[in-house]
């Protein structure tokens, strides 16, 4: 798949086919792409936890919010929970540069998962301390970002900025998840 096609396809997913799970080996292959990605000062301070077993996945489901801007009816049902989680961890104190590593790693995982036919949801809305306790993280590591992964069970479409000017995602009348993106003209502010 060409890179732009992959990036366009790799949309956030919040409703998954709940009966399709991912193995630790599959998750490791995605994390391998994160491991090889750019890192500020090449410090590589991030570490990863894979969550595949049913009990821990179920517990994680209760610690994250997928689709905070959606109504409860628009969110996943119990049959549409993620097939796995990857938890990105790092030291408590991370400066701006180190924090950028988290986003770069997350997108590498997102693209690798998409290429393999899966979708992800990057999740900042996670009860971080509770997740750390659940996973048994070593004291020196904190939860930075969680990725839910699985086979998509929803239709997603990129759309233009909403008529009211807002960029918040929404479900249309056909239950299609719409994600407004700014135009290239709006993105590039200067050509010198
Ligand atoms: C750092 C970060 C944190 C995010 N946290 C959440 C979250 O807690 N819950 C959620 O449902 N989506 C979360 N998202 C997903 C965004 O809502 C999503 O990227 C946005 O709606 C655009 O959709 P797209 O990824 O398909 O382009 C997060 C994305 C990023 C980059």
């Amino acid at each position: 798949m060409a890179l732009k096609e992959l990036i366009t396809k790799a949309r956030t997913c919040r409703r998954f086919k709940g009966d399709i799970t991912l193995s630790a080996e599959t998750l490791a292959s995605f994390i391998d792409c994160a491991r090889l990605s750019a890192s500020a000062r090449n410090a590589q301070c991030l570490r990863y936890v894979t969550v595949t077993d049913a009990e821990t996945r179920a517990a994680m489901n209760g610690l994250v919010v997928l689709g905070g801007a959606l109504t409860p009816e628009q969110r996943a049902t119990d049959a549409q929970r993620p097939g796995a989680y990857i938890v990105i961890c790092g030291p408590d104190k991370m400066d701006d540069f180190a924090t950028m590593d988290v986003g770069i790693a997350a997108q590498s995982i997102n693209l690798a998962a998409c290429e393999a036919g899966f979708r992800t949801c990057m999740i900042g809305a996670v009860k971080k301390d509770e997740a750390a306790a659940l996973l048994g993280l070593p004291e020196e590591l904190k939860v930075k970002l969680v990725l839910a992964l699985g086979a998509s069970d929803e239709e997603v479409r990129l759309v233009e900025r909403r008529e009211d000017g807002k960029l918040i995602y929404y479900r249309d009348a056909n239950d299609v998840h719409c994600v407004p993106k700014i135009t290239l003209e709006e993105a590039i502010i200067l050509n010198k």
Side-chain angles (χ1 to χ4, degrees):
M1 209 184 308
L3 182 60
K4 189 173 177 192
E5 188 186 349
L6 183 64
I7 289 172
T8 305
K9 215 170 168 186
R11 301 270 60 84
T12 292
C13 176
R14 300 183 181 83
R15 289 178 187 163
F16 300 94
K17 294 184 175 131
D19 55 339
I20 297 181
T21 56
L22 289 82
S23 68
E25 291 70 30
T26 299
L27 298 182
S29 73
F30 304 155
I31 293 167
D32 209 23
C33 294
R35 178 185 71 84
L36 294 169
S37 297
S39 166
R41 305 178 203 97
N42 207 26
Q44 301 173 68
C45 62
L46 301 180
R47 297 294 181 268
Y48 303 86
V49 177
T50 59
V51 179
T52 55
D53 81 76
E55 207 179 312
T56 316
R57 276 191 289 122
M60 282 297 293
N61 291 342
L63 300 181
V64 296
V65 178
L66 275 77
L70 300 175
T71 64
E73 302 75 47
Q74 291 171 331
R75 295 192 195 137
T77 64
D78 281 343
Q80 293 175 315
R81 300 295 172 206
Y85 287 97
I86 291 174
V87 181
I88 305 181
C89 311
D92 191 13
K93 299 256 177 295
M94 284 170 57
D95 65 15
D96 285 351
F97 283 128
T99 302
M100 289 178 201
D101 281 17
V102 178
I104 291 169
Q107 178 69 340
S108 291
I109 293 169
N110 183 35
L111 294 179
C114 184
E115 189 185 41
F118 300 103
R119 294 294 183 275
T120 78
C121 182
M122 298 175 199
I123 308 170
V126 50
K127 292 179 180 161
K128 293 188 171 128
D129 292 344
E130 288 181 44
L134 170 75
L135 302 170
L137 275 194
E139 191 112 313
E140 66 274 16
L141 286 178
K142 305 291 173 200
V143 171
K144 299 295 172 178
L145 193 71
V146 172
L147 282 102
L149 301 99
S152 174
D153 196 25
E154 66 183 9
E155 197 183 327
V156 183
R157 187 175 304 143
L158 292 179
V159 296
E160 290 177 6
R161 188 188 278 274
R162 289 158 45 145
E163 274 175 23
D164 60 9
K166 291 189 177 154
L167 290 168
I168 193 75
Y169 57 80
Y170 59 93
R171 306 265 168 174
D172 73 8
N174 297 315
D175 204 29
V176 174
H177 184 80
C178 297
V179 185
K181 292 291 179 188
I182 60 171
T183 62
L184 186 57
E185 291 69 30
E186 192 175 348
I188 302 173
I189 58 157
L190 288 173
N191 287 305
K192 291 282 191 184

